[in-house]
Amino acid sequence: MKLQLALDAISLETSITILDQIYTGIDIIEAGTPFILRYGESCVRALKERYPDVEVLCDAKIMDAGAFESEGFMKAGGDWVTVMAFTDDATIRDCVQMVHSYGKRVMADLLCVADIPKRAAELEALGVDCIAVHTGVDQQAMGGTPLEDLRILKGALKRKMAAVAGGISLKSLDAYLQLNPDILIVGGGILNSGDIVETTLAFRRRIDAHQNR
């Protein structure tokens, strides 16, 4: 199980200061959507150059021009790019083809998809590498969590990886660990904690302990 740290409403400079202390406990650094909107492809390049041994995910949430938009992030050094699951199959197919030509991977984001089993089956057929359930910040503000969506996704997947994002904290971690996602995506649960270093270590210890059972 990989731990992915989402960088969203944070500056590149602050991110580097934090990552210098904790990157060894992180498997994937996510250049989040607000982060990319602020800095463009340059933030992906900066993160990969500074942390070459850590995967970098570009949360571009691609919805059109799949090949064109994904290629820029691959050239910048990204290891993953995200595409929205609700977009056209042609966009997803083009994104997958382009990203795979670089030997990298695509994550499909199920945000706002109602029929998870149906779309998950279609996404698997389209060749994405990982499918993510995602409760956005606005949905979280109304009490939403991705836990039940993860349960549904895990029951539907045949061969692809599953990821989960949406307000995960140390307090809620055990419930997600029980469902064994391949990628656990955490943002504020680490970055807004009182002690970022200790919280990252706590996530790492509990994930590793779960896997070693």
Side-chain angles (χ1 to χ4, degrees):
M1 188 184 304
K2 293 186 176 184
L3 177 59
Q4 178 173 315
L5 178 65
L7 306 174
D8 287 309
I10 188 172
S11 71
L12 178 59
E13 295 77 10
T14 301
S15 297
I16 288 173
T17 298
I18 291 169
L19 285 166
D20 281 349
Q21 302 175 71
I22 65 171
Y23 74 94
T24 55
I26 301 296
D27 300 297
I28 304 173
I29 300 169
E30 175 190 326
T33 311
F35 202 70
I36 287 174
L37 287 172
R38 181 175 181 182
Y39 295 107
E41 295 169 4
S42 65
C43 69
V44 177
R45 190 173 292 107
L47 291 170
K48 194 62 184 179
E49 288 177 354
R50 192 169 185 90
Y51 312 104
D53 297 326
V54 185
E55 295 176 76
V56 174
L57 178 139
C58 313
D59 190 19
K61 291 187 172 68
I62 292 171
M63 290 182 280
D64 193 16
F68 177 79
E69 292 196 7
S70 60
E71 186 173 26
F73 292 108
M74 296 299 99
K75 288 181 175 179
D79 299 287
W80 290 83
V81 70
T82 62
V83 64
M84 297 308 297
F86 59 67
T87 198
D88 190 82
D89 286 359
T91 298
I92 297 172
R93 191 179 297 111
D94 287 351
C95 183
V96 168
Q97 183 176 359
M98 178 58 71
V99 171
H100 285 182
S101 75
Y102 281 83
K104 304 301 182 179
R105 293 188 280 188
V106 175
M107 180 184 291
D109 187 332
L110 286 167
L111 185 70
C112 295
V113 169
D115 191 338
I116 291 174
K118 179 178 183 292
R119 194 55 174 155
E122 294 167 347
L123 291 166
E124 285 194 306
L126 288 166
V128 302
D129 302 282
C130 181
I131 302 173
V133 290
H134 178 197
T135 299
V137 293
D138 295 334
Q139 294 170 316
Q140 291 174 46
M142 296 185 290
T145 81
L147 186 61
E148 184 57 29
D149 287 347
L150 177 60
R151 194 184 315 278
I152 294 169
L153 177 64
K154 288 287 290 187
L157 286 180
K158 303 299 183 185
R159 58 190 182 278
K160 300 299 183 180
M161 300 169 67
V164 57
I168 300 169
S169 65
L170 285 174
K171 185 177 180 180
S172 62
L173 177 59
D174 286 345
Y176 292 94
L177 292 179
Q178 290 174 14
L179 295 176
N180 291 306
D182 297 284
I183 301 175
L184 189 78
I185 304 169
V186 183
I190 289 176
L191 297 174
N192 297 333
S193 65
D195 188 330
I196 291 173
V197 174
E198 179 52 38
T199 301
T200 303
L201 289 172
F203 267 100
R204 183 82 269 165
R205 285 193 297 263
R206 285 169 65 177
I207 290 170
D208 292 346
H210 174 78
Q211 290 184 299
N212 292 330
R213 287 177 183 171

